[in-house]
Amino acid sequence: MLLLAFVIECRNDRKRRHRKMQSTTGNPMYALRDVPGKGKGLVAIEKISKGTRILSEEPVVTVPCNEQASEQLQISICQQVDALSKHQRRAFLSMHNIHAYGNAAEQYLGIIRTNALPIETNESEGRGIFFEACRINHACDNNAQKNWNTKIKRHTVQALRDIYKGEEITIYYLGVHKNREARNKALQAKFGFICLCCLCSLPLEQSQESDRRLDEIYRLDGLIGRGGVEGIVSSPLRSLGYVDQQVRLYNKQAPDDAGLPRAFLDAAQIAIANGDLARGRIFAERAVSGWSTALGGDSIEVIEHGTLARDPSKHMLYGISMKWRTTVDEAPRGLEPSDFEDWLWKREKPKRPGQLANLRSHMAFPGFMDLPGKNTVDLDFYESSDMVTYRPQRHWCFLGEIVDFGMLLRLEMTIKDVDGKEIPLYFYTDGRGSELAPAQVQKGYTVAILYAQRHAFVYGDPGIRHEDPQMIKIFPISLHELLVLNDQVQKFSVELDGIRLCHGCGRKAASLKRCSKCSSFWYCDRACQGAGWNEKGHKANCKLLKDPDLQGLFVLKWDEFDNHIRFPLHAAEDSEV
């Protein structure tokens, strides 16, 4: 009775406490129209270009977020509703309500629960009723983006793409874009309807493909943030690769998706945390451009990250690692768009016919932090047809230089990987490491381990637990020298489009001959071979290059997995380096 009496008093005193609604009523871009199967909705009455602010509106009724339906809350709502003008109140009461009610206060609360949009008031979260924005219907393939602009304290709606005359303006009611079943389950529970938009009405095969993309975007999002700052510093290439995959999926699913700017910001932070200001600036610019379209140039996201795009060195993560150090203006110029994207995302280009495997490839020769975990299924390395049994989807080999070694219960080594990280290597073979001849185990030599995995030991730092003697090979050369030799092999052992490059004089020709001893480097004649042998270090490298296991590292098709390989490698027997 107390509540009903208060409602009557509020109505009698409505004019005294009238508050005028501020919105974009009368905006010529759209009109409230009947929409088949949806009731009322906003429809464009002229073309609305991508990035246009469709409306900017203040709330007429507000409630705290997640507050229980207390008498105090109902009183507050009644005060606000009865403060509206007659026309405004009629508009409020005409809004859809999926909740049962027994009195006016419950009716008002039901309307708010059905229609309210997120807001922030006095630095706390809440929900608000907007006479125009709340009329916009949902679509999973929405063409507009809703947002509470904390800078101007208004709810804004921006066109994500061109919206044509007669087309309904739609927004996305849920938080995260998930697969069709999950979306409609949430929509049914929260709003009482099933979506029938174009995305939700795709033929079964196309719908399943869309769902796979959305599920993968969601999975990658978890992987990107899983390791925190430590993850993006210790394994930056893998983290950037996750974002690259995510962006490609977004572009296939919905090129104007409002989630893209967040992905570009993740990429910017990965680059900046590793000292790469050139990529950090470009990724930040792309994030700002996306937010400018989806949220507007006056949004807090554009304002804050616009500063980052201008000077990425101001970011709090800058300098944690300088592994990828670049200046802000070091981006290459004059590249084809596809080549520029390959540079930007640090993509490894597929091998061309006649091209050899590159020992600097982080895909085939990952550093320790990029290896898969011992007891986890890393989908970067493994695949499954039934989600029960997994097998490698490609080959990989870990390279590390011996820094120290010793023998107690078993052979133990400290090795340094391609990223300069020192890790322990413990031998759990039947011979506990005695299978290796003492002459092989020397400081400064390079260990190669096929299908290596990160192992978390009960005591001590994470490292590698080695169990199969046929999975390891030690080369009598330092890791640095091996990578330098690799660079020479990439240059002087290949034949591209019939053209060869002489190791002795640098001449390009089709008639060059291989070194007669190692069958690796190209030479014009004996004089050039002599120059290469005496002046360019081939005398020392020739013996190494005759090793079929080293040749195998170069000629093996690392991205084609048929079965596990072992040392000695046989990949070079039917191939010429």
Side-chain angles (χ1 to χ4, degrees):
M1 294 297 293
L2 176 63
L3 178 59
L4 290 176
F6 184 84
V7 170
I8 294 172
E9 173 60 24
C10 287
R11 290 173 178 171
N12 290 337
D13 203 28
R14 186 187 310 145
K15 290 184 179 180
R16 179 173 57 83
R17 290 177 286 104
H18 172 70
R19 177 164 61 90
K20 184 179 180 181
M21 176 189 69
Q22 295 185 28
S23 68
T24 53
T25 302
N27 191 316
M29 288 187 289
Y30 61 84
L32 185 64
R33 298 273 174 82
D34 290 324
V35 179
K38 295 184 177 181
K40 299 287 186 180
L42 297 192
V43 176
I45 59 175
E46 62 180 37
K47 179 184 175 181
I48 303 175
S49 298
K50 175 180 177 179
T52 298
R53 174 156 294 172
I54 299 172
L55 62 80
S56 173
E57 188 176 5
E58 290 182 346
V60 294
V61 178
T62 63
V63 296
C65 194
N66 298 324
E67 184 168 323
Q68 297 298 318
S70 63
E71 184 171 311
Q72 182 179 359
L73 176 62
Q74 292 182 349
I75 290 173
S76 172
I77 293 172
C78 288
Q79 284 181 314
Q80 295 180 70
V81 172
D82 286 294
L84 301 176
S85 69
K86 184 177 180 180
H87 173 74
Q88 292 170 339
R89 187 166 178 274
R90 187 183 302 116
F92 174 78
L93 293 174
S94 69
M95 288 184 173
H96 189 52
N97 184 2
I98 65 171
H99 301 279
Y101 58 90
N103 56 50
E106 291 178 354
Q107 180 187 12
Y108 300 164
L109 184 59
I111 291 173
I112 291 171
R113 285 178 170 172
T114 304
N115 298 279
L117 295 168
I119 64 170
E120 290 182 25
T121 57
N122 299 324
E123 299 184 357
S124 63
E125 294 183 354
R127 300 184 71 78
I129 289 293
F130 304 84
F131 284 137
E132 298 186 20
C134 290
R135 291 291 192 180
I136 303 178
N137 289 314
H138 165 90
C140 296
D141 57 351
N142 52 304
N143 55 26
Q145 178 64 30
K146 62 179 175 63
N147 178 56
W148 174 255
N149 189 313
T150 57
K151 186 73 174 177
I152 62 175
K153 305 298 182 186
R154 283 173 167 264
H155 182 87
T156 63
V157 175
Q158 302 264 141
L160 289 174
R161 57 173 176 78
D162 289 348
I163 303 173
Y164 294 94
K165 181 178 180 180
E167 185 179 356
E168 184 187 9
I169 299 168
T170 56
I171 58 176
Y172 188 69
Y173 283 5
L174 304 174
V176 178
H177 272 82
K178 294 187 178 182
N179 60 58
R180 179 168 66 173
E181 181 180 356
R183 293 194 307 269
N184 277 313
K185 185 177 180 180
L187 290 169
Q188 181 66 55
K190 293 182 178 180
F191 304 103
F193 70 87
I194 297 295
C195 184
L196 298 174
C197 70
C198 293
L199 181 61
C200 292
S201 302
L202 288 172
L204 180 60
E205 185 175 340
Q206 294 179 34
S207 180
Q208 291 174 338
E209 180 62 28
S210 170
D211 286 348
R212 282 192 288 268
R213 285 194 295 266
L214 291 169
D215 288 342
E216 182 65 3
I217 288 171
Y218 186 72
R219 185 188 75 87
L220 289 168
D221 205 48
L223 293 176
I224 293 165
R226 183 173 61 183
V229 175
E230 181 181 353
I232 66 176
V233 171
S234 63
S235 188
L237 197 62
R238 176 184 293 185
S239 298
L240 188 63
Y242 289 151
V243 184
D244 185 13
Q245 292 177 54
Q246 197 177 48
V247 169
R248 293 192 199 205
L249 289 167
Y250 270 128
N251 285 329
K252 288 182 179 179
Q253 181 70 19
D256 301 313
D257 194 286
L260 266 173
R262 176 71 247 183
F264 284 126
L265 180 62
D266 286 338
Q269 292 180 142
I270 293 168
I272 293 168
N274 288 279
D276 192 340
L277 298 180
R279 288 180 176 85
R281 175 183 62 82
I282 294 167
F283 285 132
E285 287 175 345
R286 292 186 179 185
V288 169
S289 176
W291 274 318
S292 182
T293 296
L295 309 179
D298 56 358
S299 65
I300 195 69
E301 290 82 0
V302 170
I303 294 170
E304 289 184 355
H305 297 105
T307 302
L308 178 64
R310 290 188 292 272
D311 187 359
S313 68
K314 298 297 184 183
H315 196 283
M316 61 184 295
L317 295 180
Y318 178 65
I320 293 179
S321 165
M322 299 304 286
K323 185 182 296 185
W324 293 351
R325 182 198 298 265
T326 64
T327 61
V328 75
D329 57 353
E330 275 191 50
R333 301 176 184 274
L335 295 180
E336 293 293 325
S338 61
D339 292 333
F340 184 83
E341 292 301 307
D342 289 341
W343 168 85
L344 182 64
W345 294 101
K346 288 182 169 285
R347 297 171 184 158
E348 293 183 2
K349 294 184 177 181
K351 288 172 57 179
R352 294 177 294 172
Q355 190 173 2
L356 301 175
N358 192 330
L359 303 191
R360 294 187 185 274
S361 163
H362 273 67
M363 293 289 288
F365 301 92
F368 177 72
M369 294 306 298
D370 289 323
L371 292 174
K374 181 75 172 180
N375 297 312
T376 60
V377 177
D378 190 327
L379 296 180
D380 279 351
F381 291 86
Y382 298 96
E383 62 184 0
S384 174
S385 58
D386 58 8
M387 303 304 291
V388 176
T389 56
Y390 290 83
R391 61 170 240 163
Q393 57 177 293
R394 55 186 168 83
H395 306 288
W396 70 91
C397 180
F398 172 82
L399 299 175
E401 182 177 321
I402 301 174
V403 176
D404 200 359
F405 62 91
M407 174 72 83
L408 294 175
L409 293 175
R410 65 189 78 255
L411 179 60
E412 302 174 6
M413 294 183 183
T414 299
I415 54 179
K416 182 168 62 177
D417 73 358
V418 292
D419 296 319
K421 182 176 180 61
E422 293 189 3
I423 60 161
L425 168 61
Y426 296 97
F427 284 72
Y428 281 80
T429 57
D430 291 342
R432 300 186 178 185
S434 62
E435 301 90 349
L436 296 173
Q440 292 180 278
V441 184
Q442 300 291 329
K443 293 181 182 180
Y445 283 8
T446 297
V447 178
I449 306 174
L450 297 169
Y451 312 108
Q453 298 174 314
R454 285 181 289 112
H455 185 85
F457 296 99
V458 176
Y459 302 103
D461 295 330
I464 295 175
R465 176 185 170 118
H466 175 62
E467 300 176 359
D468 187 343
Q470 288 188 292
M471 292 296 178
I472 194 169
K473 169 83 177 190
I474 298 179
F475 296 102
I477 185 175
S478 73
L479 181 55
H480 172 72
E481 291 170 338
L482 179 61
L483 294 176
V484 171
L485 177 58
N486 164 78
D487 296 341
Q488 294 183 10
V489 168
Q490 302 302 317
K491 190 174 182 180
F492 300 111
S493 294
V494 298
E495 180 179 352
L496 299 178
D497 300 325
I499 301 299
R500 306 161 181 175
L501 182 65
C502 177
H503 179 237
C505 69
R507 185 173 73 92
K508 294 181 179 180
S511 59
L512 306 184
K513 304 297 183 182
R514 291 188 185 275
C515 168
S516 60
K517 296 180 179 294
C518 67
S519 299
S520 294
F521 289 0
W522 298 110
Y523 292 102
C524 297
D525 48 33
R526 287 185 177 274
C528 284
Q529 187 170 6
W533 185 269
N534 297 312
E535 300 171 17
K536 298 190 175 183
H538 191 57
K539 181 178 181 179
N541 293 333
C542 189
K543 183 178 180 180
L544 287 168
L545 290 171
K546 287 195 292 184
D547 186 335
D549 286 329
L550 183 56
Q551 291 187 14
L553 295 184
F554 288 115
V555 302
L556 183 72
K557 296 179 180 179
W558 291 91
D559 55 349
E560 297 179 11
F561 184 88
D562 293 320
N563 209 338
H564 287 85
I565 58 172
R566 289 173 171 80
F567 291 110
L569 297 177
H570 301 290
E573 292 181 356
D574 300 321
S575 304
E576 290 188 346
V577 176

